[in-house]
Amino acid sequence: MRIVYSPRHRLHADNQELNAGVITPAFELPARVDFILKRIEAVGLGEVIEAKTIDAVAAAVKVHDAGYLQFMADFWTLWLAEGRSGPTMPYVWPARGQRDIRPEHVNGLMGYYSFDGGASFVEGTWEAVQSAVWSAIGAAELIGGGERAAYALCRPPGHHAGSSTMGGYCFINNAAVAAQWFLDHGAKRVTILDVDYHHGNGTQEIFYRRGDVQIVDLHADTAVAYPFFSGRTDETGEGQGEGFTLNLPMPFGTDWQTWGAALDHACRAIEAFGPDVVVVSLGLDTFEGDPISKFRLKREDYPKIGARIAALGRPTLFVQEGGYAVEDIGHNAVGVLSGFEGA
Ligand code: OKP
Ligand code: ZN
């Protein structure tokens, strides 16, 4: 399959994250893409195409709040105007009991438009964020043109980004933007299958009340794992969306036996929905060696994921999400894609 990517992802680098009382360099690094590209070349997975420049805001505003996108576009200018040029992080959020009110000051705006301290900006972040949308749409266009599958190798990732909230390394929800693109180009129903270790809270929020996008999400039980405030089995959608969200949480230590069975269950639900396109939020942080996660999938399990998804027999867009064991991420990402192609 062909791979769409933009070298501009590299502009989002040297940023930091807040985690359990500590600010550290972010685990979400440019090297992740380098290792995946290296493995793509080593196995000859397919042609790597540079994403062409498109209007990312026009594509993203179909699933994101316009004020949120404007905030991200303006962010670095506002930050410089405060006399700052170094690292950024929100530190105050409108929690229960406070007003849903948009402040003017950049520090207030950061909290208003985020749900954690895991999405920080550097000067090039907005450029990189837009380029991830270019990759997602570019890969979606390949499928629109008749290809069976394509891979959007994008970063920063997207599945934690909600309609008006950044967090968990995510700014624009690349998979959600792509799913909406398919609907706007003839698809009647789209499934987003999220296999990242973490619950895709942003994707779920965006489509929670809609019946045209099915959300199926395998993840670590959010009673004990990030992002904590969504991902339970009783979240099944609302209104028109009732019955179109399926959460499959699993305990720490989950290995292929349990995870593979959950994937099979997920795929049966997808078959019942009968989507025109499947968008896979492809996280590789289910890997046993992942530094921030607690599942135990092995390198040899990843091709089995691809093969099961291929058995759905639907046009499939893979969109890169998490995975932080950088030395292994190439093998595991390409493992899924090769498993898909070999099936
Ligand atoms: C982004 B993606 C848990 C740390 C959580 C944020 C993780 C964001 C993951 N010990 N920090 O879903 O891979
Ligand atoms: Zn993740």
Side-chain angles (χ1 to χ4, degrees):
M1 73 181 73
R2 290 202 270 176
I3 299 94
V4 183
Y5 116 106
S6 171
R8 292 204 186 200
H9 77 83
R10 202 168 291 287
L11 293 165
H12 183 61
D14 304 318
N15 51 303
Q16 47 178 18
E17 67 179 79
L18 170 63
N19 194 5
V22 201
I23 293 173
T24 61
F27 281 89
E28 200 287 294
L29 300 164
R32 300 173 59 242
V33 169
D34 298 335
F35 279 99
I36 295 173
L37 280 174
K38 206 170 109 189
R39 188 65 188 160
I40 286 169
E41 278 156 31
V43 307
L45 182 74
E47 185 193 356
V48 178
I49 303 166
E50 185 170 335
K52 67 175 201 286
T53 305
I54 60 157
D55 186 342
V57 169
V61 78
K62 293 173 184 288
V63 294
H64 288 285
D65 175 80
Y68 170 58
L69 297 172
Q70 191 64 52
F71 154 73
M72 291 193 287
D74 292 344
F75 179 82
W76 199 254
T77 304
L78 296 172
W79 197 239
L80 291 178
E82 283 302 310
R84 300 289 302 274
S85 58
T88 78
M89 192 168 284
Y91 62 87
V92 55
W93 290 273
R96 280 180 306 285
Q98 294 185 273
R99 285 182 69 188
D100 178 0
I101 191 167
R102 189 186 199 272
E104 289 171 25
H105 195 280
V106 62
N107 283 323
L109 287 169
M110 256 193 287
Y112 185 64
Y113 287 124
S114 66
F115 66 88
D116 74 1
S120 64
F121 283 79
V122 294
E123 184 174 7
T125 294
W126 177 238
E127 285 295 308
V129 166
Q130 293 175 92
S131 81
V133 174
W134 306 348
S135 299
I137 297 293
E141 283 173 348
L142 293 176
I143 290 171
E147 295 194 23
R148 177 189 179 216
Y151 176 39
L153 176 45
C154 38
R155 64 170 292 278
H159 74 147
H160 296 303
S163 57
S164 63
T165 45
M166 57 185 187
Y169 313 142
C170 302
F171 301 84
I172 288 180
N173 194 316
N174 306 305
V177 173
Q180 185 62 52
W181 185 92
F182 285 119
L183 292 167
D184 293 339
H185 290 79
K188 291 276 175 283
R189 280 187 300 278
V190 178
T191 294
I192 299 180
L193 170 61
D194 189 326
V195 300
D196 188 280
Y197 173 86
H198 302 97
H199 180 240
N201 57 306
T203 313
Q204 174 173 304
E205 182 253 311
I206 287 169
F207 296 114
Y208 205 59
R209 300 179 151 275
R210 288 173 51 171
D212 53 351
V213 180
Q214 179 194 38
I215 305 298
V216 181
D217 197 315
L218 286 70
H219 52 268
D221 181 1
T222 48
V224 289
Y226 180 93
F228 295 110
F229 305 109
S230 60
R232 309 302 201 277
T233 54
D234 64 354
E235 295 158 25
T236 55
E238 268 172 22
Q240 304 266 51
E242 181 60 56
F244 298 108
T245 291
L246 175 63
N247 281 313
L248 299 170
M250 285 166 276
F252 292 154
T254 288
D255 63 7
W256 176 257
Q257 201 189 344
T258 302
W259 201 94
L263 178 63
D264 195 60
H265 182 76
C267 288
R268 287 170 199 279
I270 295 169
E271 280 152 9
F273 180 67
D276 301 306
V277 184
V278 176
V279 175
V280 179
S281 268
L282 182 59
L284 294 319
D285 39 11
T286 48
F287 181 56
E288 60 180 351
D290 195 274
I292 68 169
S293 308
K294 294 179 178 168
F295 281 179
R296 294 199 190 125
L297 267 56
K298 297 179 183 304
R299 183 181 289 188
E300 67 258 31
D301 295 328
Y302 289 91
K304 297 184 258 182
I305 298 176
R308 183 63 188 92
I309 294 170
L312 292 169
R314 315 272 164 177
T316 304
L317 171 65
F318 292 91
V319 178
Q320 183 60 45
E321 303 282 0
Y324 308 100
V326 287
E327 305 274 342
D328 298 278
I329 188 175
H331 284 272
N332 296 339
V334 175
V336 173
L337 304 171
S338 304
F340 180 96
E341 300 230 290

